[in-house]
Amino acid sequence: MSTQDLVPSPVGPVDVEQAEAALVERYPRLVRIAYLVLPPALGRNRRVLTAHALVQRSLPRRRVPGPGVPGPRRAEDAVDPGYAYVRGEVLRQALIAGLPLRRLALPRRAQFPPLLPHVWGLRLFPRVGGADELALDQRLSRLSGPGRAAYVLRGLERQGDPEVLRVLAAAGVEDPAAALAEADATDDPAEQAGPGRAGEPDGAPGTPDGAPGPGARAGRSDRVGEQGGPGRTGGRRGGGPGGPGSATGPGGPEGPGRAPGAVEGSAAGSTAGSAPRRRLSGAALLESDEFDPCALQARPTDLMRRRQHARAAFVAVVALVVCGTLLGLPGDGWGRNGAAAPSYARNPAAEAALEPGAVKRVDPAVWPGATRQDFSVWPARGGLTGDSALLRRALAVWARPGGSVRSSATPGTPVGPPMGPPQLLFAGRVDAMRVVLFHDGLRAVRYAEPVEGTAGAALDFARTDAADTVGAAALVVSRAAGNVRYLTAPWVRETAVRDLLAPAKEPRRLVRDGDGVTDPVPGPAPSGGCARWNTLQIRDREGVRLLTDLGEPAPARLLWGPPAAPEDATRPEAREAWARTACRLTAVWAHGVRSVNAWRFARQPLPGGAGQADWVCTRAETWRGTGSRVLAQFLVPSPEVPAALAAGSEGSTACGVRNPRVLAGVLWQAPGGGWFVLAAGSPDFTSLETSGGVKGRSDGPLLTLRAKPGARADLAGTLRDGTRMNALR
């Protein structure tokens, strides 16, 4: 509970100076109260430090207002208002400190170990008492926090029941009466005995005739110095010390509510022939050195454990200094090897491959006279080709990517270090990144690091072996905010952007800089709505090509036509077919695709004069030669309706050069409401047959059968040489 949340004092307004004076003057008593109320489970050392911390944090930060309308003056109003307020704050914080930490509740300040005061290398605890003090400490440990507070207020502060209830309620106790009853039940049995108890005369001190005063509760002895209050009756509660007419009331010279020399529960006399009773009561024991956190003993902590902790801390500091030195080496915020992992080998050939001076650079005059045009004749371009530090970091991360490097590779692409010095294709600043492109004959490797800062290095691998003129026509140099930049080959004469989904729209010219880097192009989205599919259209000396980004460093080539003789998908017929099938390219996203060919293998008249449907087979070939994906798609006569996927397969030879055949079928609903099984095969099929839910047969590569909604059928066909072939799946 913060001392800023002030509660009006029940006894009057309190100034900060008044509260400080009360705290300093009665500091030992306040610390003793906090020590007794804190749970013993904390341990004596922490209880001592916490008790001092709670008292020192109990000063208000501003004047504490009193009640708006003064009430009738009571006997307890003799207590100094400053002391009453500080004592209430100490009790409030001590009760909070005893609450357990809960998972869903915010922890309070008093529940944490105190920051101040703090002691290093010593354990502090009060002096050890006798058996009586130990028994009392055990009884207090069985009480709840409010119960201990009630016991301390009644025994140490000599408060009467009404005052105890009021102070507990002001300290935030939800049920003060239960706390008081718990304290009553904890009193020593010898104290709870009434008149005639062992070792004590029938006439108890505090009454003229030894009889309990009116209003005294059975089973609990009257307290010495108990204050009188409204509604009190006679006897010791009305005329004892602390009541009206008492010389020492609350706030007297001996402490709040203390009677000089009075010992609660002790025998004032003895019967004839009996020895005086020497055992002190629980209230008197609260004043003993066992519970005095200001008179302390000191002992060392665990010296062996402290030595081990000191060694561990020294090693951690040394490691932190070494790591900080390595991370802070010069070079634009990067170390010598950037985000690379530590070197683990000293192979001379491997080290030579990582030397920036050994990187291969092709002269710009080589490619026009070369017998073949591929990545091997690309000249080194970019404004940072001479930055040895950047090249060193790129090569080191390539060989040993650290844990902070975001690395990716197309399927089937090895990600190991180069076998020898690679060829430098590009090194320059693109957008907010420094980008380096290498080629080692098998792979194109892209390294990127931010211009500012040292986090976010990326490393991408793409297999590009056996690339031809078109396969080596461009590489993705940057992806940022959904846009793509391409680095084009030196033999590319023109670049443009064409949207596959708008076949009738003319391509938009795409500007390149002097190094061959294009302006940013909105790339296709692999997920979400397929609203556009931008492709890179290039022109070289052979003609116009279409390349599409499929999430990899090397774009894929788009083709159209039979598997044995495909051509670039630039003619109107090809663009119209690709406009309806382009969104299916997400099925081969990031799959290591080299080229995608679409082939219309059949045309089928639809029942009821609904027009003619097209059957298109799309095959994606990979750079690694395996894992090709084949899709059979059904196109209704409406140009604005996307193609429907009829069948798909991975690793199949169908619709390719080795096996230029394909067979697929769909369940189609006619505009009139009837359902039909439609099937089509490539021209090599002489007959088609269905079994299962729908049975039928037809001669030739087309089949149309009536069916029911949800019908399923198995489809097969016979080729001209008599071979049976199942449908694509």
Side-chain angles (χ1 to χ4, degrees), residues 219-318:
R220 181 169 64 84
S221 61
D222 293 332
R223 291 177 297 284
V224 176
E226 187 175 53
Q227 301 174 1
R232 288 190 180 258
T233 55
R236 290 182 56 189
R237 300 198 178 198
S246 172
T248 58
E254 295 298 323
R258 293 288 308 274
V263 178
E264 180 185 351
S266 60
S270 61
T271 55
S274 62
R277 188 174 182 227
R278 295 183 179 180
R279 185 184 180 191
L280 297 177
S281 69
L285 291 174
L286 295 178
E287 300 279 1
S288 67
D289 291 342
E290 169 80 12
F291 306 109
D292 185 5
C294 292
L296 302 173
Q297 292 180 325
R299 293 293 184 272
T301 57
D302 190 331
L303 300 180
M304 294 299 297
R305 180 177 298 178
R306 189 171 70 186
R307 183 177 300 174
Q308 294 171 357
H309 289 176
R311 291 174 181 171
F314 176 76
V315 172
V317 170
V318 171

Side-chain angles (χ1 to χ4, degrees), residues 13 38 46 76 168 405 431 482 549 556 582 619 623 633 638 687 720:
L38 286 170
R46 181 174 169 184
E76 64 269 21
L168 290 179
V405 177
D431 296 327
D549 175 31
R619 180 178 178 87
W623 285 95
Q633 302 177 74
S638 301
S687 65
R720 293 175 182 173

